[in-house]
Amino acid sequence: MADQAAGTEKFVISPPPQASLPIEGQSDRFPVHRVYCVGRNYAAHAVEMGHDPDKEPPFFFQKNPDNLVSDSTEFPYPKASEDVHHEIELLVALKSGGEDIAIEDALDCVYGYGISLDMTRRDLQGEMKKLGRPWEIGKAFERSAPAGALLPVSEVGHLDNGEIWLKVNDEMRQSGDLNQMIWKTSEMISILSGLFTLQPGDIILTGTPAGVGPVQRGDRMHGHIEGVGDLHVTVT
Ligand code: MN
């Protein structure tokens, strides 16, 4: 068994499919390893959630790789919640990783950028916060991260400014600029690499601007990030 070549192992059940994201303009896909999310990365959103943006270091939670959904324009309203919120976020995809990556080297790890929604069962997240318990049931549920196709750095460069917004039923709900991120992409990669061994295939959701709020079945969400494009998702 031990000398079996990598990739030829046999499994006792069918192995789960590899989570992946499409890439704009090509048929090959980007394989997803882990999904790291950053909390309260825009000052105005930290304030609306009742926190002081000047006093907190960045903090992280995770979603599951297969929570990313790129092959559907539908977001099924999840079970066990009556207060599901939208959070529009810039998605960063890593082509390389490591530990203790210096800020000045961090952007070399980036494969590309995308647009995503960090959908949140806010009522469950709130209960867990109050009790000092982990956030998974509020954040890491099925289909909780609708996402668009990746744009490779080789085509769009690095994105550190530009409009980011979300409309619901054509009404502006969230509006900000990538230059309002408290922790920049390079800083997030560097800090994360001091906590985890970053790997090719890792994804970072970089936090959301102010204006988060609930959605209902039938709502049409339209997200936009300048330089990345648009994401259209209907709540079903
Ligand atoms: Mn978020």
Side-chain angles (χ1 to χ4, degrees):
M1 297 294 276
D3 60 358
Q4 210 163 21
T8 62
E9 298 91 345
K10 289 185 175 171
F11 298 101
V12 295
I13 59 170
S14 297
Q18 168 68 54
S20 66
L21 288 171
I23 300 164
E24 194 68 44
Q26 65 179 80
S27 55
D28 289 356
R29 294 176 69 90
F30 183 87
V32 175
H33 178 243
R34 292 180 187 167
V35 180
Y36 296 102
C37 304
V38 184
R40 297 177 206 134
N41 200 25
Y42 290 75
H45 173 60
V47 170
E48 78 178 347
M49 299 303 283
H51 300 273
D52 181 342
D54 295 328
K55 285 193 179 160
E56 295 188 21
F59 70 93
F60 303 96
F61 58 91
Q62 283 174 259
K63 291 197 181 222
N64 301 297
D66 66 347
N67 294 157
L68 288 166
V69 174
S70 58
D71 60 355
S72 171
T73 57
E74 294 188 358
F75 170 74
Y77 200 94
K79 58 173 74 176
S81 177
E82 290 175 355
D83 192 26
V84 175
H85 281 205
H86 52 75
E87 296 189 359
I88 185 74
E89 310 208 359
L90 176 71
L91 177 154
V92 179
L94 302 188
K95 65 181 179 190
S96 61
E99 294 178 43
D100 300 323
I101 298 165
I103 290 172
E104 54 269 30
D105 298 329
L107 290 181
D108 294 341
C109 299
V110 177
Y111 172 81
Y113 296 92
I115 181 170
S116 64
L117 285 161
D118 169 15
M119 299 303 294
T120 301
R121 292 194 284 213
R122 194 72 77 201
D123 43 1
L124 298 187
Q125 183 201 25
E127 287 171 30
M128 293 302 102
K129 276 186 190 175
K130 211 181 300 172
L131 295 167
R133 291 180 182 165
W135 287 8
E136 274 86 351
I137 63 169
K139 288 288 193 179
F141 57 92
E142 268 53 61
R143 301 172 70 102
S144 59
L150 295 178
L151 286 101
V153 167
S154 56
E155 303 200 1
V156 294
H158 288 289
L159 300 175
D160 52 14
N161 66 81
E163 284 185 352
I164 175 170
W165 52 252
L166 182 82
K167 294 177 181 176
V168 178
N169 303 329
D170 301 320
E171 182 186 316
M172 190 66 83
R173 290 276 191 90
Q174 292 189 260
S175 181
D177 193 293
L178 298 178
N179 67 16
Q180 295 164 346
M181 289 199 289
I182 297 169
W183 302 93
K184 306 304 174 196
T185 300
S186 56
E187 294 171 319
M188 285 184 276
I189 291 169
S190 179
I191 294 167
L192 268 173
S193 74
L195 298 165
F196 303 96
T197 302
L198 295 179
Q199 305 261 8
D202 285 346
I203 297 288
I204 304 172
L205 303 188
T206 56
T208 199
V212 300
V215 292
Q216 312 297 336
R217 288 180 183 81
D219 282 350
R220 289 172 290 108
M221 298 184 283
H222 174 193
H224 176 82
I225 300 177
E226 195 177 335
V228 175
D230 296 89
L231 179 65
H232 293 272
V233 179
T234 301
V235 183
T236 60

